[in-house]
């Protein structure tokens, strides 16, 4: 699956965006973590992340995509 965004984003930027939206302490998330293991990854967290990805990155996340994270 290939995702195209408005601008390239690094993994560090992606993790920072997720930490911001999920209200997780800076540096707490890592590339090898599953979002399901993050306490703030609930229905509200999912909606916040979906909206932020759409607004900042022009990327529409679907339930299928999110279920793989």
């Amino acid at each position: 699956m290939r995702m195209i965004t408005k601008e390239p984003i690094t993994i560090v930027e992606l993790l920072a965006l997720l930490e911001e939206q999920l209200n997780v302490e800076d540096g707490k998330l890592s590339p090898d973590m599953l979002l399901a293991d993050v306490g703030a990854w609930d229905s509200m967290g999912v909606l916040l992340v979906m909206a932020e990805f759409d607004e900042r990155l022009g990327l529409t996340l679907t339930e299928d995509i999110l279920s793989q994270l």
Side-chain angles (χ1 to χ4, degrees), residues 12-62:
V12 172
E13 294 168 327
L14 174 63
L15 291 172
L17 185 142
L18 288 169
E19 288 169 344
E20 176 186 335
Q21 292 308 304
L22 298 175
N23 200 27
V24 173
E25 183 181 334
D26 290 348
K28 195 77 167 174
L29 299 181
S30 66
D32 60 336
M33 292 179 74
L34 296 175
L35 285 174
D37 294 335
V38 178
W41 188 246
D42 56 14
S43 57
M44 183 58 79
V46 169
L47 292 174
L48 290 170
V49 168
M50 288 176 76
E52 196 66 19
F53 272 50
D54 184 44
E55 184 177 321
R56 281 198 202 181
L57 306 174
L59 179 64
T60 302
L61 297 178
T62 65

Side-chain angles (χ1 to χ4, degrees), residues 2-5 10 12 19 24 27 30-31 39 53-54 64-66:
R2 187 163 178 254
M3 294 185 253
I4 300 172
T5 62
T10 67
V12 172
E19 288 169 344
V24 173
S30 66
F53 272 50
D54 184 44
D64 290 337
I65 292 170
L66 291 173

